[in-house]
Amino acid sequence: MAQVLVAGGGPAGLAAAVAAARRGLETLLIERYGFLGGMATAGLVNPFMMWKPDEEPLVGGIFQEMLDGLSAKGGFSCERQPDAFDPEAFKAVADEMCLEAGVQVRLHTLFTEAEVAGGRIASITTESKSGRETCSAAVYIDCTGDADLAHRAGVPCETGREEDGLTQPMTLNFRMANVDVEGMPPRKEINRRYDAAKADGRVSCPRENVLLFYAIQPDVVHFNTTRVTGKSGVDAEDLTAAEIEARRQTQELVRFLISDVAGFEQAYLQQTAAQIGVRESRRIRGEYTLTADDVLSARKFPDGIARSAYPIDIHSPSGAGTDIRKLPEGDYYEIPYRCLVPIGVDNLLVAGRTASATHEAQASLRVMPQCFAMGEAVGLAAAMAIEQSIPPREVDGEELRKAVGL
């Protein structure tokens, strides 16, 4: 038995586990892949979306430690893309952070079921090469990205936009290597050629443009361009179909780049992500639901435990187009602790893109720096709850705010 059990080792889960363990709690982190990082590694999502309203960073703490660790390994930032990072370096830094903090990490371990009694999670079931096992803890933290633990514990969840339940599309990130970056045309010209290729039927990706970033390697270009709509990130058949469709789109885009875009004549497909990137699936119903008005009015909260200036960024759930709504210049909003406290279960917290928010607000808080911040906050909240012998929902949000340094 652990004191704190964290399900999911992405940015939120990593930060939650490290924060709890550093308070001296026996902390177990379970992760389905053979490495930590979630969307930062398995999903190949890049770069970090920092979105500082000024020169002062909005997210520090464990996230800043990750940046420092990446920098020490030569795995962070380059001239063309200051916020880019190397996913292999991320894996290594994540391992080191957990080992240093004393986190018990179980890789290749999948959460499957939750046993609930009296409004509390009594235990969870996992599956691994060791077989089916039962694990228990005083406080559980759901950082699965899909609210798997919360959902199976009976927490009410919402999915997609209000009018039809459709979620933001999924994207398989990929990278091209051996690119003559200096010989590439401007983005406007790349998009003009992309439109022409779509018009003559050589490209069928529904995204409206080519979204590319630069990797820290000088000849590698990162693409966040495939788009699969109308599929659910929490349905196995839909996920399978989405992965296959995204790989088909990738092959089309690779052919297009090599044949139509200068600088890619000798390039090749270096890598596709281990899994398709899911922007949105389940969102828990929590003690407070963050709204679009909260985001766009740059609202602050007494129990605000994370800050963000990232815009509402909704990739069309039904086809082309991306809806971007920015905050007031130079300002930011806060994510309240109550968004991470689900209703109905007393010893559970969540962090990451499944926080209690509307479809629109989730499209802002879902990015990796804020997931780190939310994870660190719930790790500290779990520790405070255990130390004070109270349910996590009774943790003083203002005290927690001070603990995370806001």
Side-chain angles (χ1 to χ4, degrees), residues 4 23 30 67 126 163 167 176 195 212 244 254 263 315:
V4 176
R23 293 282 286 235
I30 62 172
L67 300 185
T126 65
E163 60 266 33
T167 60
M176 299 285 287
D195 288 341
L212 64 86
I244 293 170
V254 168
H315 296 242

Side-chain angles (χ1 to χ4, degrees), residues 52-75:
K52 308 172 191 175
D54 50 39
E55 290 306 307
E56 291 299 316
L58 287 176
V59 181
I62 292 173
F63 176 62
Q64 183 59 53
E65 292 178 33
M66 171 57 73
L67 300 185
D68 294 342
L70 289 169
S71 296
K73 295 183 183 302

Side-chain angles (χ1 to χ4, degrees), residues 376-400:
E376 183 171 358
V378 296
L380 290 172
M384 293 167 67
I386 291 170
E387 291 161 0
Q388 298 171 34
S389 299
I390 59 175
R393 72 180 70 258
E394 293 182 14
V395 168
D396 188 308
E398 294 186 41
E399 284 188 24
L400 179 59

Side-chain angles (χ1 to χ4, degrees), residues 166-197:
L166 289 179
T167 60
Q168 290 199 59
M170 295 182 240
T171 291
L172 183 69
N173 286 284
F174 68 91
R175 292 184 166 191
M176 299 285 287
N178 201 35
V179 180
D180 176 10
V181 175
E182 296 294 338
M184 288 171 56
R187 292 178 191 241
K188 185 175 181 179
E189 176 60 18
I190 294 174
N191 286 326
R192 187 191 70 78
R193 297 183 186 190
Y194 173 72
D195 288 341

